[in-house]
Amino acid sequence: MAGASDIEALKSELLAAVDGAGDEAALEGLRVEALGKKGKISLMMRSLGQMSPEERQVMGPALNGLKDTIGEAITAKKAAMEDAALDARLATERADVSLPIRPEPRGKLHPVTQVMEELAVIFSDMGFTVAEGPDVEDDFHNFTALNFPEGHPARDTHDTFFMKPREDGSQMVLRTHTSPVQIRTMMSETPPIRIIAPGRVYRCDWDQTHTPMFHQVEGLVIDKGAHMGHLKGVLMDFLAAFFETDTVEARFRPHHFPFTEPSAEMDVKYSRVGEAVKIGEGDSWMEILGCGMVHPNVIKSCGLDPDEYQGFAWGMGVDRLAMLKYGAPDLRDYFANDTRWLAHYGFSPLLQANLATGLS
Ligand code: 2NL
């Protein structure tokens, strides 16, 4: 018959075994061996029935104590094993979040994308918003509303890409400028309006300096009392910010566009520095953009009263701006999808343009 000394011996034996268990399976084996239906402690408990009441009074609590002690030891050991397993896993999965990302980023922003970001930053700072519209336009938004009369030769100078005629005989076009975006804004919003409209435009023309798709940004201000002085101020400030210079010397030459009156081309002084140019100093003039006061017919076409509202607008080539600032000389390279060219002329997507730390 089991006595108190047997219980002590079994307790030491089982505690040592629990302590030495190598894994959770071994621990579960020990639990069955000690506390299972046919386990050592259960068997000893079964012998309580054959004991005298005095013996039972001592052995009963002792065996219950043994059962609790071993049960608790197994639970504690199991928790310790789980903690150790978690610690080991955390150690192997440790990540230093202060390290630069791996693999090293290799994608670059196209210079045209970079310039568009810079334009958005500069003009937002002046209170403009960025407007967008469809690439496929109708004749009204691309031509008629812009004061191109039906059948007027100016429509031909745009080398328009026409879509297949529709049932009703009308024909959509690939927009030849981003002006239709401004027409849409004037028709859907009430002045004052201050927007820039950057985007793709299309003309059927392909040689060393022309691609059938290129990028344009136009700007538009519509307000009571807007005048050429405001136009000049906006454009001078823009050129100084974009070319990161304090000295912009410019002249306005009279010109003609159907959609502005008066119209002008703006020239800036420049000098050559290798592939790029330095704007604001030098002794040659370069044409940089076209501009003017919005023609009263255009204001009328958009449902506004030209006696109440005036406006000015301008347009320029984004690809050309990128070329002037960043120097990639051949326009065709811009659309060749050559990753070596992009690796050289591209920009880090992690260094977004902003006025505080610099545009580029
Ligand atoms: C150029 C000239 C220009 C505009 C674009 C414009 C838009 C509206 C009304 C009036 Cl909705 N004008 N845009 C005005 C003057 C010039 O672009 O040589 N672009 C490359």
Side-chain angles (χ1 to χ4, degrees):
M1 187 136 319
S5 59
D6 299 313
I7 291 180
E8 276 311 310
L10 183 57
K11 184 167 151 186
S12 322
E13 179 199 324
L14 289 174
L15 285 177
V18 168
D19 195 40
D23 56 25
E24 289 198 37
L27 198 61
E28 176 59 13
L30 269 172
R31 193 189 62 76
V32 172
E33 194 186 314
L35 303 170
K37 250 188 212 144
K38 291 182 182 150
K40 288 181 180 156
I41 297 176
S42 311
L43 289 177
M44 284 174 101
M45 286 196 145
R46 225 168 282 166
S47 71
L48 285 173
Q50 287 116 50
M51 291 179 193
S52 67
E54 296 76 22
E55 262 183 323
R56 201 178 307 141
Q57 219 161 31
V58 177
M59 291 301 284
L63 278 170
N64 270 327
L66 173 64
K67 185 176 148 200
D68 290 347
T69 304
I70 299 305
E72 281 160 18
I74 288 174
T75 305
K77 180 72 177 174
K78 191 162 181 230
M81 280 175 169
E82 282 167 0
D83 282 353
L86 183 61
D87 283 347
R89 203 178 132 199
L90 287 175
T92 62
E93 290 178 8
R94 174 172 298 163
D96 182 347
V97 294
S98 69
L99 287 175
I101 55 173
R102 306 285 166 86
E104 301 253 326
R106 295 209 286 152
K108 290 286 185 73
L109 296 184
H110 194 284
V112 167
T113 308
Q114 171 72 18
V115 167
M116 296 236 204
E117 296 285 342
E118 294 179 21
L119 294 169
V121 166
I122 294 168
F123 282 107
S124 314
D125 193 54
M126 290 196 234
F128 287 72
T129 53
V130 177
E132 288 183 312
D135 288 21
V136 179
E137 270 292 2
D138 55 39
D139 184 84
F140 174 78
H141 291 94
N142 196 77
F143 289 122
T144 307
L146 285 153
N147 199 35
F148 289 82
E150 304 280 351
H152 189 278
R155 294 188 182 215
D156 305 334
T157 66
H158 273 217
D159 300 310
T160 314
F161 282 112
F162 290 94
M163 311 297 280
K164 210 166 89 185
R166 293 183 295 194
E167 300 267 307
D168 65 3
S170 68
Q171 223 170 348
M172 301 291 274
V173 300
L174 289 179
R175 66 181 183 193
T176 57
H177 43 196
T178 58
S179 312
V181 177
Q182 284 126 290
I183 295 297
R184 286 175 184 279
T185 306
M186 278 194 270
M187 295 182 85
S188 63
E189 285 173 26
T190 38
I193 291 171
R194 281 189 293 268
I195 52 163
I196 58 165
R200 297 178 173 203
V201 299
Y202 306 85
R203 292 187 192 184
C204 188
D205 197 356
W206 185 313
D207 60 33
Q208 212 157 358
T209 53
H210 298 88
T211 48
M213 187 281 298
F214 58 102
H215 300 86
Q216 198 185 32
V217 60
E218 288 196 26
L220 174 75
V221 170
I222 302 283
D223 203 352
K224 292 175 182 166
H227 58 67
M228 285 288 273
H230 299 138
L231 167 67
K232 185 182 176 190
V234 166
L235 293 177
M236 293 296 275
D237 283 357
F238 157 67
L239 291 171
F242 182 75
F243 289 107
E244 305 182 56
T245 168
D246 297 326
T247 56
V248 179
E249 216 184 313
R251 70 178 181 194
F252 289 81
R253 260 183 305 102
H255 196 70
H256 175 265
F257 300 112
F259 32 78
T260 45
E261 182 59 38
S263 306
E265 279 186 333
M266 188 183 189
D267 299 339
V268 287
K269 279 267 178 85
Y270 79 102
S271 60
R272 274 203 175 278
V273 192
E275 282 185 335
V277 296
K278 186 135 182 51
I279 300 291
E281 56 182 53
D283 37 36
S284 329
W285 290 106
M286 172 170 47
E287 180 208 321
I288 191 107
L289 54 84
C291 58
M293 297 306 293
V294 179
H295 197 291
N297 287 350
V298 176
I299 298 201
K300 232 179 284 172
S301 295
C302 297
L304 297 171
D305 177 0
D307 290 328
E308 188 180 6
Y309 289 110
Q310 290 73 48
F312 55 87
W314 69 93
M316 56 199 160
V318 176
D319 314 292
R320 182 138 174 281
L321 283 176
M323 251 183 204
L324 290 175
K325 187 164 177 181
Y326 298 118
D330 191 334
L331 186 61
R332 288 166 299 191
D333 292 334
Y334 278 64
F335 309 116
N337 281 334
D338 185 334
T339 52
R340 294 164 304 173
W341 184 87
L342 197 56
H344 181 77
Y345 286 107
F347 293 82
S348 166
L350 300 176
L351 298 175
Q352 287 279 294
N354 70 82
L355 290 174
T357 62
L359 289 173
S360 53

